[in-house]
PDB file of all heavy atoms in Angstrom:
ATOM      1  N   ALA A1365    -213.320-104.818 151.289  1.00  0.00           N
ATOM      2  CA  ALA A1365    -213.263-103.359 151.422  1.00  0.00           C
ATOM      3  C   ALA A1365    -212.984-102.896 152.843  1.00  0.00           C
ATOM      4  O   ALA A1365    -212.306-101.887 153.055  1.00  0.00           O
ATOM      5  CB  ALA A1365    -214.560-102.740 150.907  1.00  0.00           C
ATOM      6  N   THR A1366    -213.501-103.628 153.839  1.00  0.00           N
ATOM      7  CA  THR A1366    -213.296-103.200 155.224  1.00  0.00           C
ATOM      8  C   THR A1366    -211.834-103.320 155.659  1.00  0.00           C
ATOM      9  O   THR A1366    -211.427-102.697 156.634  1.00  0.00           O
ATOM     10  CB  THR A1366    -214.175-104.016 156.179  1.00  0.00           C
ATOM     11  OG1 THR A1366    -213.939-105.412 155.963  1.00  0.00           O
ATOM     12  CG2 THR A1366    -215.651-103.702 155.963  1.00  0.00           C
ATOM     13  N   GLU A1367    -211.033-104.112 154.928  1.00  0.00           N
ATOM     14  CA  GLU A1367    -209.612-104.240 155.257  1.00  0.00           C
ATOM     15  C   GLU A1367    -208.776-103.115 154.658  1.00  0.00           C
ATOM     16  O   GLU A1367    -207.658-102.859 155.113  1.00  0.00           O
ATOM     17  CB  GLU A1367    -209.059-105.572 154.732  1.00  0.00           C
ATOM     18  CG  GLU A1367    -209.627-106.805 155.386  1.00  0.00           C
ATOM     19  CD  GLU A1367    -209.030-108.070 154.789  1.00  0.00           C
ATOM     20  OE1 GLU A1367    -209.469-108.464 153.689  1.00  0.00           O
ATOM     21  OE2 GLU A1367    -208.127-108.661 155.427  1.00  0.00           O
ATOM     22  N   VAL A1368    -209.280-102.462 153.638  1.00  0.00           N
ATOM     23  CA  VAL A1368    -208.468-101.554 152.825  1.00  0.00           C
ATOM     24  C   VAL A1368    -207.887-100.382 153.607  1.00  0.00           C
ATOM     25  O   VAL A1368    -206.710-100.031 153.405  1.00  0.00           O
ATOM     26  CB  VAL A1368    -209.261-101.074 151.594  1.00  0.00           C
ATOM     27  CG1 VAL A1368    -208.510 -99.971 150.844  1.00  0.00           C
ATOM     28  CG2 VAL A1368    -209.541-102.252 150.678  1.00  0.00           C
ATOM     29  N   PRO A1369    -208.639 -99.709 154.526  1.00  0.00           N
ATOM     30  CA  PRO A1369    -208.018 -98.572 155.223  1.00  0.00           C
ATOM     31  C   PRO A1369    -206.718 -98.917 155.943  1.00  0.00           C
ATOM     32  O   PRO A1369    -205.834 -98.066 156.057  1.00  0.00           O
ATOM     33  CB  PRO A1369    -209.115 -98.138 156.214  1.00  0.00           C
ATOM     34  CG  PRO A1369    -210.387 -98.542 155.547  1.00  0.00           C
ATOM     35  CD  PRO A1369    -210.074 -99.853 154.875  1.00  0.00           C
ATOM     36  N   SER A1370    -206.560-100.162 156.388  1.00  0.00           N
ATOM     37  CA  SER A1370    -205.358-100.538 157.129  1.00  0.00           C
ATOM     38  C   SER A1370    -204.230-101.031 156.232  1.00  0.00           C
ATOM     39  O   SER A1370    -203.146-101.356 156.723  1.00  0.00           O
ATOM     40  CB  SER A1370    -205.687-101.630 158.160  1.00  0.00           C
ATOM     41  OG  SER A1370    -206.054-102.835 157.510  1.00  0.00           O
ATOM     42  N   LEU A1371    -204.465-101.079 154.904  1.00  0.00           N
ATOM     43  CA  LEU A1371    -203.412-101.546 154.003  1.00  0.00           C
ATOM     44  C   LEU A1371    -203.401-100.806 152.669  1.00  0.00           C
ATOM     45  O   LEU A1371    -202.800-101.277 151.696  1.00  0.00           O
ATOM     46  CB  LEU A1371    -203.534-103.061 153.764  1.00  0.00           C
ATOM     47  CG  LEU A1371    -204.873-103.639 153.284  1.00  0.00           C
ATOM     48  CD1 LEU A1371    -205.168-103.379 151.820  1.00  0.00           C
ATOM     49  CD2 LEU A1371    -204.921-105.126 153.567  1.00  0.00           C
ATOM     50  N   VAL A1372    -204.044 -99.642 152.618  1.00  0.00           N
ATOM     51  CA  VAL A1372    -204.208 -98.964 151.326  1.00  0.00           C
ATOM     52  C   VAL A1372    -202.873 -98.664 150.658  1.00  0.00           C
ATOM     53  O   VAL A1372    -202.748 -98.760 149.426  1.00  0.00           O
ATOM     54  CB  VAL A1372    -205.065 -97.687 151.494  1.00  0.00           C
ATOM     55  CG1 VAL A1372    -204.360 -96.654 152.374  1.00  0.00           C
ATOM     56  CG2 VAL A1372    -205.448 -97.101 150.148  1.00  0.00           C
ATOM     57  N   ASP A1373    -201.841 -98.327 151.428  1.00  0.00           N
ATOM     58  CA  ASP A1373    -200.540 -98.024 150.837  1.00  0.00           C
ATOM     59  C   ASP A1373    -199.782 -99.283 150.431  1.00  0.00           C
ATOM     60  O   ASP A1373    -198.790 -99.201 149.686  1.00  0.00           O
ATOM     61  CB  ASP A1373    -199.688 -97.210 151.809  1.00  0.00           C
ATOM     62  CG  ASP A1373    -200.171 -95.776 151.931  1.00  0.00           C
ATOM     63  OD1 ASP A1373    -200.841 -95.289 151.001  1.00  0.00           O
ATOM     64  OD2 ASP A1373    -199.898 -95.143 152.971  1.00  0.00           O
ATOM     65  N   GLU A1374    -200.229-100.440 150.917  1.00  0.00           N
ATOM     66  CA  GLU A1374    -199.541-101.689 150.610  1.00  0.00           C
ATOM     67  C   GLU A1374    -200.178-102.441 149.441  1.00  0.00           C
ATOM     68  O   GLU A1374    -199.695-103.518 149.069  1.00  0.00           O
ATOM     69  CB  GLU A1374    -199.523-102.604 151.841  1.00  0.00           C
ATOM     70  CG  GLU A1374    -198.593-102.155 152.932  1.00  0.00           C
ATOM     71  CD  GLU A1374    -199.058-100.876 153.624  1.00  0.00           C
ATOM     72  OE1 GLU A1374    -200.159-100.864 154.198  1.00  0.00           O
ATOM     73  OE2 GLU A1374    -198.327 -99.872 153.559  1.00  0.00           O
ATOM     74  N   VAL A1375    -201.232-101.906 148.854  1.00  0.00           N
ATOM     75  CA  VAL A1375    -201.871-102.592 147.727  1.00  0.00           C
ATOM     76  C   VAL A1375    -200.884-102.835 146.582  1.00  0.00           C
ATOM     77  O   VAL A1375    -200.868-103.935 146.009  1.00  0.00           O
ATOM     78  CB  VAL A1375    -203.124-101.835 147.253  1.00  0.00           C
ATOM     79  CG1 VAL A1375    -203.667-102.449 145.961  1.00  0.00           C
ATOM     80  CG2 VAL A1375    -204.202-101.857 148.334  1.00  0.00           C
ATOM     81  N   PRO A1376    -200.031-101.866 146.194  1.00  0.00           N
ATOM     82  CA  PRO A1376    -199.096-102.158 145.099  1.00  0.00           C
ATOM     83  C   PRO A1376    -198.195-103.362 145.375  1.00  0.00           C
ATOM     84  O   PRO A1376    -198.025-104.219 144.498  1.00  0.00           O
ATOM     85  CB  PRO A1376    -198.282-100.862 144.975  1.00  0.00           C
ATOM     86  CG  PRO A1376    -199.191 -99.801 145.486  1.00  0.00           C
ATOM     87  CD  PRO A1376    -199.944-100.447 146.613  1.00  0.00           C
ATOM     88  N   ILE A1377    -197.618-103.444 146.572  1.00  0.00           N
ATOM     89  CA  ILE A1377    -196.712-104.564 146.829  1.00  0.00           C
ATOM     90  C   ILE A1377    -197.495-105.855 147.031  1.00  0.00           C
ATOM     91  O   ILE A1377    -197.039-106.928 146.625  1.00  0.00           O
ATOM     92  CB  ILE A1377    -195.768-104.254 148.024  1.00  0.00           C
ATOM     93  CG1 ILE A1377    -194.658-105.295 148.111  1.00  0.00           C
ATOM     94  CG2 ILE A1377    -196.524-104.148 149.334  1.00  0.00           C
ATOM     95  CD1 ILE A1377    -193.774-105.383 146.878  1.00  0.00           C
ATOM     96  N   LEU A1378    -198.687-105.793 147.607  1.00  0.00           N
ATOM     97  CA  LEU A1378    -199.513-107.002 147.715  1.00  0.00           C
ATOM     98  C   LEU A1378    -199.932-107.485 146.328  1.00  0.00           C
ATOM     99  O   LEU A1378    -200.001-108.697 146.080  1.00  0.00           O
ATOM    100  CB  LEU A1378    -200.752-106.729 148.573  1.00  0.00           C
ATOM    101  CG  LEU A1378    -200.506-106.576 150.073  1.00  0.00           C
ATOM    102  CD1 LEU A1378    -201.788-106.142 150.780  1.00  0.00           C
ATOM    103  CD2 LEU A1378    -199.994-107.894 150.683  1.00  0.00           C
ATOM    104  N   ALA A1379    -200.200-106.562 145.412  1.00  0.00           N
ATOM    105  CA  ALA A1379    -200.556-106.954 144.050  1.00  0.00           C
ATOM    106  C   ALA A1379    -199.389-107.627 143.347  1.00  0.00           C
ATOM    107  O   ALA A1379    -199.570-108.598 142.598  1.00  0.00           O
ATOM    108  CB  ALA A1379    -201.023-105.740 143.265  1.00  0.00           C
ATOM    109  N   VAL A1380    -198.173-107.131 143.574  1.00  0.00           N
ATOM    110  CA  VAL A1380    -196.987-107.774 143.017  1.00  0.00           C
ATOM    111  C   VAL A1380    -196.836-109.185 143.582  1.00  0.00           C
ATOM    112  O   VAL A1380    -196.546-110.136 142.846  1.00  0.00           O
ATOM    113  CB  VAL A1380    -195.744-106.917 143.306  1.00  0.00           C
ATOM    114  CG1 VAL A1380    -194.461-107.729 143.193  1.00  0.00           C
ATOM    115  CG2 VAL A1380    -195.703-105.728 142.356  1.00  0.00           C
ATOM    116  N   LEU A1381    -197.047-109.343 144.884  1.00  0.00           N
ATOM    117  CA  LEU A1381    -196.989-110.684 145.475  1.00  0.00           C
ATOM    118  C   LEU A1381    -198.085-111.573 144.895  1.00  0.00           C
ATOM    119  O   LEU A1381    -197.862-112.766 144.644  1.00  0.00           O
ATOM    120  CB  LEU A1381    -197.125-110.590 146.998  1.00  0.00           C
ATOM    121  CG  LEU A1381    -195.937-109.971 147.740  1.00  0.00           C
ATOM    122  CD1 LEU A1381    -196.256-109.815 149.218  1.00  0.00           C
ATOM    123  CD2 LEU A1381    -194.682-110.824 147.562  1.00  0.00           C
ATOM    124  N   ALA A1382    -199.264-111.002 144.678  1.00  0.00           N
ATOM    125  CA  ALA A1382    -200.346-111.769 144.067  1.00  0.00           C
ATOM    126  C   ALA A1382    -199.955-112.264 142.683  1.00  0.00           C
ATOM    127  O   ALA A1382    -200.390-113.340 142.247  1.00  0.00           O
ATOM    128  CB  ALA A1382    -201.605-110.918 143.986  1.00  0.00           C
ATOM    129  N   GLY A1383    -199.133-111.494 141.988  1.00  0.00           N
ATOM    130  CA  GLY A1383    -198.656-111.910 140.675  1.00  0.00           C
ATOM    131  C   GLY A1383    -197.750-113.118 140.714  1.00  0.00           C
ATOM    132  O   GLY A1383    -197.523-113.761 139.680  1.00  0.00           O
ATOM    133  N   ARG A1384    -197.235-113.463 141.895  1.00  0.00           N
ATOM    134  CA  ARG A1384    -196.386-114.657 142.067  1.00  0.00           C
ATOM    135  C   ARG A1384    -197.108-115.750 142.844  1.00  0.00           C
ATOM    136  O   ARG A1384    -196.498-116.771 143.191  1.00  0.00           O
ATOM    137  CB  ARG A1384    -195.098-114.282 142.816  1.00  0.00           C
ATOM    138  CG  ARG A1384    -194.316-113.129 142.222  1.00  0.00           C
ATOM    139  CD  ARG A1384    -193.883-113.401 140.790  1.00  0.00           C
ATOM    140  NE  ARG A1384    -192.966-114.525 140.696  1.00  0.00           N
ATOM    141  CZ  ARG A1384    -192.590-115.096 139.545  1.00  0.00           C
ATOM    142  NH1 ARG A1384    -193.095-114.663 138.400  1.00  0.00           N
ATOM    143  NH2 ARG A1384    -191.735-116.093 139.549  1.00  0.00           N
ATOM    144  N   ALA A1385    -198.398-115.568 143.118  1.00  0.00           N
ATOM    145  CA  ALA A1385    -199.164-116.532 143.922  1.00  0.00           C
ATOM    146  C   ALA A1385    -199.947-117.488 143.027  1.00  0.00           C
ATOM    147  O   ALA A1385    -200.306-117.153 141.897  1.00  0.00           O
ATOM    148  CB  ALA A1385    -200.127-115.787 144.849  1.00  0.00           C
ATOM    149  N   ALA A1386    -200.228-118.645 143.549  1.00  0.00           N
ATOM    150  CA  ALA A1386    -201.054-119.616 142.840  1.00  0.00           C
ATOM    151  C   ALA A1386    -202.517-119.179 142.901  1.00  0.00           C
ATOM    152  O   ALA A1386    -203.031-118.857 143.971  1.00  0.00           O
ATOM    153  CB  ALA A1386    -200.898-120.996 143.459  1.00  0.00           C
ATOM    154  N   GLY A1387    -203.187-119.128 141.745  1.00  0.00           N
ATOM    155  CA  GLY A1387    -204.595-118.771 141.726  1.00  0.00           C
ATOM    156  C   GLY A1387    -204.817-117.275 141.609  1.00  0.00           C
ATOM    157  O   GLY A1387    -203.914-116.509 141.241  1.00  0.00           O
ATOM    158  N   GLU A1388    -206.013-116.851 141.936  1.00  0.00           N
ATOM    159  CA  GLU A1388    -206.426-115.455 141.756  1.00  0.00           C
ATOM    160  C   GLU A1388    -206.503-114.722 143.090  1.00  0.00           C
ATOM    161  O   GLU A1388    -206.944-115.284 144.099  1.00  0.00           O
ATOM    162  CB  GLU A1388    -207.794-115.399 141.077  1.00  0.00           C
ATOM    163  CG  GLU A1388    -208.299-113.982 140.812  1.00  0.00           C
ATOM    164  CD  GLU A1388    -209.632-113.951 140.103  1.00  0.00           C
ATOM    165  OE1 GLU A1388    -210.654-114.264 140.761  1.00  0.00           O
ATOM    166  OE2 GLU A1388    -209.654-113.632 138.902  1.00  0.00           O
ATOM    167  N   THR A1389    -206.076-113.468 143.072  1.00  0.00           N
ATOM    168  CA  THR A1389    -206.240-112.580 144.220  1.00  0.00           C
ATOM    169  C   THR A1389    -207.127-111.417 143.795  1.00  0.00           C
ATOM    170  O   THR A1389    -206.936-110.840 142.721  1.00  0.00           O
ATOM    171  CB  THR A1389    -204.882-112.044 144.705  1.00  0.00           C
ATOM    172  OG1 THR A1389    -204.065-113.135 145.137  1.00  0.00           O
ATOM    173  CG2 THR A1389    -205.060-111.064 145.862  1.00  0.00           C
ATOM    174  N   VAL A1390    -208.101-111.092 144.637  1.00  0.00           N
ATOM    175  CA  VAL A1390    -209.050-110.027 144.338  1.00  0.00           C
ATOM    176  C   VAL A1390    -208.964-108.972 145.431  1.00  0.00           C
ATOM    177  O   VAL A1390    -209.016-109.295 146.623  1.00  0.00           O
ATOM    178  CB  VAL A1390    -210.492-110.562 144.233  1.00  0.00           C
ATOM    179  CG1 VAL A1390    -211.465-109.423 143.922  1.00  0.00           C
ATOM    180  CG2 VAL A1390    -210.583-111.645 143.159  1.00  0.00           C
ATOM    181  N   PHE A1391    -208.836-107.726 145.012  1.00  0.00           N
ATOM    182  CA  PHE A1391    -208.843-106.582 145.914  1.00  0.00           C
ATOM    183  C   PHE A1391    -210.177-105.859 145.716  1.00  0.00           C
ATOM    184  O   PHE A1391    -210.447-105.346 144.626  1.00  0.00           O
ATOM    185  CB  PHE A1391    -207.699-105.616 145.601  1.00  0.00           C
ATOM    186  CG  PHE A1391    -206.318-106.194 145.761  1.00  0.00           C
ATOM    187  CD1 PHE A1391    -205.772-107.012 144.770  1.00  0.00           C
ATOM    188  CD2 PHE A1391    -205.550-105.905 146.874  1.00  0.00           C
ATOM    189  CE1 PHE A1391    -204.494-107.530 144.900  1.00  0.00           C
ATOM    190  CE2 PHE A1391    -204.278-106.423 147.025  1.00  0.00           C
ATOM    191  CZ  PHE A1391    -203.740-107.241 146.036  1.00  0.00           C
TER     192      PHE A1391
END
Side-chain angles (χ1 to χ4, degrees):
T1366 54
E1367 294 179 281
V1368 172
S1370 67
L1371 53 75
V1372 65
D1373 287 337
E1374 288 69 60
V1375 172
I1377 191 60
L1378 288 173
V1380 160
L1381 290 175
R1384 307 301 296 170
E1388 181 178 73
T1389 298
V1390 180
F1391 298 79

